[in-house]
Amino acid sequence: MRALAASNNPYGIIPPHLLNRVIQRGNEQQRRRALTTLNLDDGFRGHAARRQADTMHESHAPDDGDSPQRHIFDARHGMQLPGEEVRSEGESETGDREVNEAYEDLGATWRFFHEVFGRDSIDNAGMALLGTVHYGHEYQNAFWNGQQMVFGDGDGEIFLPFTRALDVVAHELAHGVTEIAVGLAYANQSGALNESVSDVFGVMTKQYAAQQTAEEADWLIGAELLAEGVQGRALRSMAEPGSAYDDPVLGRDPQPGHMDQYVETEEDNGGVHINSGIPNHAFYLIATALGGYSWERAGHVWYDTLLDERLTRGPLRV
Ligand SMILES: [Zn+2]
């Protein structure tokens, strides 16, 4: 059976082509979960959810710029956003692993942008960081919807809960930064750049939290997300694009690492999660050539470029 579905959830960390592979190759249950995730992704930009999130923003005023303002919600396996608030800034840990991971990951991302670039949250004006965990039932994705982070639990067979991976959380928040800074059009080459910028800031956030040099780092994205038994190391490899996984269900990592192998495709908004391997690898090459910590020099070049008014959003979707 071949079921190709387009997703309206462009910022999900798991791209539609990967879910489509699971639908084609997975067992009955895996196919059902992947299909449910794709269908949810299609509908997630519902106006009701957006209005609710807007209301949340109004009630969480920006702070003085010295600390993040985090609010973690539990969807309790439903799809109402943001769900019930279970931990807010300064409150102690709860007994729920995913709640605590979301809180810590949002904090580590805020600290990275603040301490390295002097940026106060996504909008550089203290925007509250909202995260909802336990979204849907075995939902196989995590996404930023323009207002907040949303995390699925995965199914435990292919994907683990999406709060496990700090780089994925930072990747999603970086989409918010890119959106505000330049709004790189999310298709074809500008879309692949948009995706890559998120991986670059995602991987730097992970390296910064671990205080790893470019040489010490693994340069993997989403290494903590693949369940045991999946034949792969991560969702993507910036050091060796195309080598992150090769699995009977997920297929083979389709990323090129050089412009000579640029993939022309209609899928995935023109291959935004595929061709992002090319600028990802460029960042890896520059950061390792410069040596030391990636964020100290290469990271500043990327950040300054993102904010440079000469950078344009690229052509509109064709
Ligand atoms: Zn993304």
Side-chain angles (χ1 to χ4, degrees):
M1 186 187 83
R2 187 170 163 81
L4 281 179
S7 170
N8 290 326
N9 179 6
Y11 292 152
I13 193 75
I14 304 299
H17 61 82
L18 227 159
L19 292 168
N20 276 317
R21 287 293 298 222
V22 177
I23 292 166
Q24 289 166 35
R25 307 264 186 114
N27 63 33
E28 193 80 6
Q29 277 198 327
Q30 291 166 337
R31 284 161 53 167
R32 182 177 47 74
R33 292 173 194 138
L35 202 55
T36 306
T37 297
L38 267 180
N39 288 338
L40 275 177
D41 287 355
D42 280 347
F44 97 100
R45 280 180 186 273
H47 294 299
R50 183 153 285 224
R51 260 201 315 276
Q52 274 196 340
D54 280 343
T55 311
M56 290 308 306
H57 272 288
E58 284 158 19
S59 61
H60 297 300
D63 70 320
D64 56 6
D66 290 333
S67 60
Q69 285 299 309
R70 289 166 286 185
H71 298 272
I72 310 300
F73 303 83
D74 191 338
R76 305 204 190 285
H77 306 291
M79 283 163 287
Q80 283 281 88
L81 292 175
E84 184 188 330
E85 184 159 1
V86 286
R87 189 176 176 192
S88 64
E89 190 62 42
E91 288 182 3
S92 52
E93 289 201 348
T94 74
D96 185 310
R97 179 175 176 180
E98 283 72 38
V99 169
N100 297 328
E101 284 175 340
Y103 184 88
E104 291 306 320
D105 290 348
L106 289 173
T109 305
W110 186 92
R111 279 193 298 279
F112 170 70
F113 277 97
H114 188 67
E115 290 166 11
V116 175
F117 304 115
R119 190 178 184 89
D120 183 13
S121 193
I122 291 167
D123 60 352
N124 199 21
M127 180 178 179
L129 297 175
L130 316 183
T132 294
V133 301
H134 305 309
Y135 176 75
H137 185 62
E138 295 175 327
Y139 178 67
Q140 309 263 49
N141 220 337
F143 60 88
W144 161 256
N145 70 357
Q147 312 282 334
Q148 67 157 108
M149 276 299 306
V150 181
F151 303 95
D153 287 327
D155 63 350
E157 260 180 50
I158 299 176
F159 297 116
L160 300 175
F162 284 81
T163 50
R164 297 284 187 276
L166 168 59
D167 50 1
V168 165
V169 176
H171 170 111
E172 295 298 335
L173 294 189
H175 275 310
V177 176
T178 299
E179 206 168 281
I180 287 165
V182 57
L184 287 167
Y186 203 71
N188 306 321
Q189 289 196 20
S190 55
L193 259 184
N194 190 324
E195 261 308 304
S196 174
V197 165
S198 273
D199 275 353
V200 163
F201 287 99
V203 93
M204 283 196 292
T205 302
K206 183 169 83 163
Q207 293 173 11
Y208 184 74
Q211 287 293 299
Q212 284 176 331
T213 65
E215 288 75 17
E216 290 163 351
D218 63 14
W219 293 94
L220 296 171
I221 301 290
E224 300 81 3
L225 293 186
L226 298 185
E228 210 181 311
V230 173
Q231 291 171 32
R233 294 176 293 157
L235 296 177
R236 292 187 280 280
S237 166
M238 296 176 70
E240 295 175 87
S243 73
Y245 58 87
D246 190 355
D247 178 83
V249 175
L250 295 180
R252 195 186 151 88
D253 176 4
Q255 284 208 315
H258 193 284
M259 206 60 191
D260 288 350
Q261 290 110 40
Y262 185 86
V263 178
E264 298 279 357
T265 175
E266 299 276 298
E267 250 192 308
D268 184 29
N269 283 30
V272 297
H273 293 89
I274 297 171
N275 292 309
S276 56
I278 299 165
N280 274 2
H281 192 54
F283 184 79
Y284 161 81
L285 289 174
I286 290 170
T288 49
L290 291 172
Y293 295 116
S294 61
W295 60 87
E296 283 185 339
R297 287 188 285 172
H300 278 277
V301 172
W302 255 244
Y303 186 72
D304 290 351
T305 305
L306 195 63
L307 297 191
D308 193 312
E309 58 189 19
R310 287 170 294 178
L311 183 67
T312 63
R313 66 189 307 271
L316 286 174
R317 192 166 180 171
V318 286

